[in-house]
Amino acid sequence: MTSIGGAEMVDWNLAVATATRLVRPGPEVNRDEARAVVAELRRHARTSERHVREFTRMIPEGAAVPDTPVLVVDRPGWVRANVAGFRELLAPLLGKMQERRAGTPGAAVLGAVGGKVTGVEVGMLLSFLASRVLGQYETFAPLGRDLPGSPAAGGRLLLVAPNIVHVERELEVHPHDFRLWVCLHEETHRTQFTAVPWLRDHLEGEIQTFLGATEMDPAALLERLREAAQSFAGARPDSEHGDEGRSLVELVQTPEQREVLSRLTAVMSLLEGHADFVMDGVGPEVVPSVAEIREKFQQRRASGAGRLDAALRKLLGLDAKLRQYRDGERFVRAVVGQVGMEGFNRVWTSPNTLPTRAEIARPADWVARVHRRGSEPSEGE
């Protein structure tokens, strides 16, 4: 995206068409089964809202919060929703890059060709992800006729029905229990953003700072890609920063972006870990087979689906996503164990009370800073 100019730097329509064409078909279900799955997921989403609010105590009883829609979608529907979100979020960066390229010779031709190439690349990436996502709270969701959102909260909850059915069959778990378990996780994300009004703007600000620091010079980007490739090939054994443990996504960032990425990683670890903690905390009361589901699902998360899947996960930084679930849940569990749920909920007070990346690893340090307590050994230390 940094080396093209002209009309539109990403052909988003082509991205949708490419992803829709390449995405694997979902599990075989007849029309009646599909309707039953959709109806049950919608019921579970409504039920989960009450369970999550009671367990987290983030929203006082009777308090008014913005309502956000729940959409049960198929894989192409997930692709369309995410393309709309990407288009909205990346618009400032792509607009700036487009202006910079506008005066170069042949910019219009390069832009038309480059936009299509990038559209295909984005579509290929989305086709890979579309068969793996079970649900998603789409924080930056533009309003649309086919994909309604909330004007007040700016979000919507997506549940990807074919993926949920695929995983429950693969794990051989109780369908009713698994669907409710997934909804508990995703509903926690919806509660996080509707109960904490500043959270969406804070995340958007961090993301725009990250995008604003993007290298505009194609030569600089190519140099970073070359260094990243050498690191993965083992050509930099003297690396002081342990680059072999990073994803390609991390390696091509500027130093400023890495600082922002560190803060974003801490926030995402908190959000994902909190959702895992909540769904397991609520689970025993409403999901009888939660222990079996958790054990099998953790094994699936860790193993992936083969060598190609593992390579792509590494390349895209999805392994870091898995660490966010684990590290974030450990942080939440340790803090709740020390100061209770009300004490933990001080994390939502302001951006200043969010944990740093270091505090995610050492929960007692967050407790000491926010609650002014002496640091004690945290769980797992």
Side-chain angles (χ1 to χ4, degrees):
M1 283 188 291
T2 60
S3 62
I4 55 181
E8 189 169 19
M9 301 190 72
V10 180
D11 188 331
W12 296 108
N13 292 332
L14 183 58
V16 172
T18 301
T20 302
R21 184 176 69 254
L22 295 179
V23 70
R24 291 181 292 183
E28 291 187 10
V29 294
N30 61 43
R31 183 171 297 181
D32 290 339
E33 289 174 324
R35 287 174 175 168
V37 170
V38 170
E40 184 173 21
L41 287 172
R42 287 175 175 159
R43 289 197 305 272
H44 285 332
R46 289 193 297 270
T47 302
S48 297
E49 182 176 357
R50 174 173 55 84
H51 290 311
V52 169
R53 291 188 181 189
E54 289 177 355
F55 184 82
T56 64
R57 302 199 288 276
M58 292 179 65
I59 301 175
E61 188 174 353
V65 294
D67 187 27
T68 55
V70 177
L71 306 181
V72 182
V73 298
D74 57 10
R75 290 169 178 175
W78 180 87
V79 167
R80 289 193 296 272
N82 277 267
V83 164
F86 288 156
R87 191 170 192 167
E88 181 100 344
L89 197 59
L90 294 175
L93 171 65
L94 296 183
K96 185 191 301 184
M97 293 166 64
Q98 183 175 328
E99 288 177 5
R100 180 165 179 170
R101 300 292 184 266
T104 61
V109 174
L110 288 174
V113 175
K116 292 188 180 301
V117 171
T118 310
V120 170
E121 292 171 342
V122 171
M124 293 173 65
L125 169 61
L126 290 173
S127 72
F128 171 76
L129 296 173
S131 61
R132 285 157 174 78
V133 176
L134 301 183
Q136 170 188 357
Y137 185 76
E138 199 188 2
T139 314
F140 309 105
L143 300 180
R145 183 181 61 186
D146 299 328
L147 293 164
S150 168
R156 54 185 169 229
L157 181 60
L158 305 179
L159 297 169
V160 191
N163 295 351
I164 294 172
V165 172
H166 171 77
V167 173
E168 70 191 26
R169 290 179 178 179
E170 181 184 274
L171 298 181
E172 298 182 340
V173 293
H174 193 288
H176 170 85
D177 286 2
F178 184 74
R179 294 167 193 175
L180 177 54
W181 189 70
V182 170
C183 287
L184 288 169
H185 181 102
E186 303 307 332
E187 177 57 39
T188 302
H189 287 318
R190 184 164 69 149
T191 298
Q192 290 163 348
F193 283 94
T194 54
V196 185
W198 54 264
L199 185 57
R200 180 183 183 276
D201 290 342
H202 173 71
L203 272 180
E204 184 174 16
E206 291 281 54
I207 291 171
Q208 292 303 331
T209 299
F210 180 87
L211 295 176
T214 298
E215 293 279 8
M216 294 292 188
D217 183 2
L221 179 63
L222 288 174
E223 176 63 20
R224 290 187 178 277
L225 287 170
R226 183 187 65 79
E227 293 177 0
Q230 288 180 344
S231 174
F232 275 97
R236 297 173 61 192
D238 57 342
S239 173
E240 298 177 0
H241 303 291
D243 284 350
E244 67 279 359
R246 288 178 175 166
S247 70
L248 179 59
V249 174
E250 291 175 294
L251 285 169
V252 299
Q253 306 309 327
T254 66
E256 181 183 355
Q257 285 177 313
R258 287 175 187 165
E259 291 182 9
V260 179
L261 186 62
S262 179
R263 296 195 298 270
L264 282 170
T265 297
V267 176
M268 298 311 298
S269 295
L270 169 69
L271 298 180
E272 297 294 358
H274 182 234
D276 267 11
F277 177 79
V278 170
M279 73 178 181
D280 285 347
V282 174
E285 293 186 9
V286 298
V287 183
S289 60
V290 65
E292 177 192 1
I293 291 173
R294 164 57 75 186
E295 181 180 0
K296 291 183 175 181
F297 195 74
Q298 289 285 54
Q299 291 173 354
R300 183 181 185 275
R301 269 183 181 172
S303 64
R307 294 178 61 184
L308 176 60
D309 185 82
L312 286 170
R313 279 168 44 183
K314 177 65 178 176
L315 178 69
L316 299 173
L318 299 183
D319 283 346
K321 177 79 167 177
L322 300 181
R323 290 195 296 273
Q324 288 171 6
Y325 288 110
R326 181 194 65 209
D327 297 344
E329 195 274 342
R330 190 176 299 159
F331 169 83
V332 176
R333 186 174 300 280
V335 171
V336 172
Q338 290 185 47
V339 296
M341 186 63 76
E342 296 297 336
F344 166 78
N345 280 342
R346 289 184 63 177
V347 79
W348 313 115
T349 303
S350 75
N352 293 329
T353 56
L354 291 172
T356 64
R357 194 168 182 176
E359 288 170 341
I360 288 289
R362 290 184 57 85
D365 290 352
W366 180 87
V367 173
R369 176 172 67 87
V370 174
H371 290 268
R372 307 299 183 188
R373 292 188 178 187
S375 179
E376 301 172 359
S378 60
E379 183 178 312
E381 295 187 77

